[in-house]
Amino acid sequence: MAYILLYVDDIILTASSDELHKSIITLLSSEFAMKDLGQLSYFLDIIVTHNAGGLFLSQKKYAMEIIDRAGMSSCKSSPTPVDTKPKLSATSSTPFEDPTLYRILARALQYLTFTRFDITYAVQQVCLFMHDPKDEHMQALKCILRYIQGTIDHGLHLYPSSISTLVSYIDADWVDVRVRDGLLLGIGYLLVII
C-alpha cells in the first residue's frame, strides 16, 4: 500500500514496504525532477507524527490560528460542530457585517477538513452561504470554531491496512491523471491510496 499526495510541485509518499517506495520514487523520478527531503514531519500546516502503529496527521496549530483570527481564543467549547436548530436559510436573519471575515474563516475551515473529517458536513453547510452571509450563518460558523476549540487535538490516524484494491480520492479543479506501469500518476491536487 502507498499513500501519495501531490500538491502543485510538492509530493508526499509513504509506502508499506521499502521496495514499493523505491519503485514509485524511480517511476516518478523518470517523469519529474525530484528531491527527497527525508522523513515527513510538517507539510502545508499539517504536523506529521510517526508512531509504531502508523502516522498521525494534525492541524492543531492551524486550527488555533483560525480560532485566533476569529477572535475566539478564549471561547467555551461546544460538544458538537452543528447547532440542533433547523437548517440554515439563505433568506433569514440580517446580513453579517463583515462578509470578508466570514469568507476567510469559511475557507480556512475547508482546509482544516483535510485532517478533521468530523467537521466536514458543518463546514460544507456554512460554505453554501459565502456569497451572502447572514448573522445566523456566522453563528453556525462560530459553533464549528467552539467545537474545534474543545477537540483541538483531533486529527487523522493512518494505520497499516490489508486493502489490496485501488481506492482514490480526488479534490481538484483540475487534475491530469495518467497510468504508467500499473501506477497512477497525477499533476494537480490528488490523494491516492493504493
Side-chain angles (χ1 to χ4, degrees), residues 6-7 110 170-177 187-190:
L6 302 169
Y7 182 77
Q110 282 181 309
I170 301 173
D171 178 9
D173 291 333
W174 173 82
V175 150
D176 175 16
V177 177
I187 303 169
Y189 184 108
L190 174 65

Side-chain angles (χ1 to χ4, degrees), residues 1-2 6 17 20 24 28 36 42-43 55 100 102 110 120 137 145 148 158 162 187 189 192:
M1 177 183 294
L6 302 169
S17 71
L20 178 58
I24 293 171
L28 290 173
D36 188 352
Y42 189 81
F43 181 76
L55 301 174
T100 301
Y102 182 90
Q110 282 181 309
T120 302
H137 305 142
L145 293 174
I148 292 168
L158 299 176
S162 60
I187 303 169
Y189 184 108
V192 178

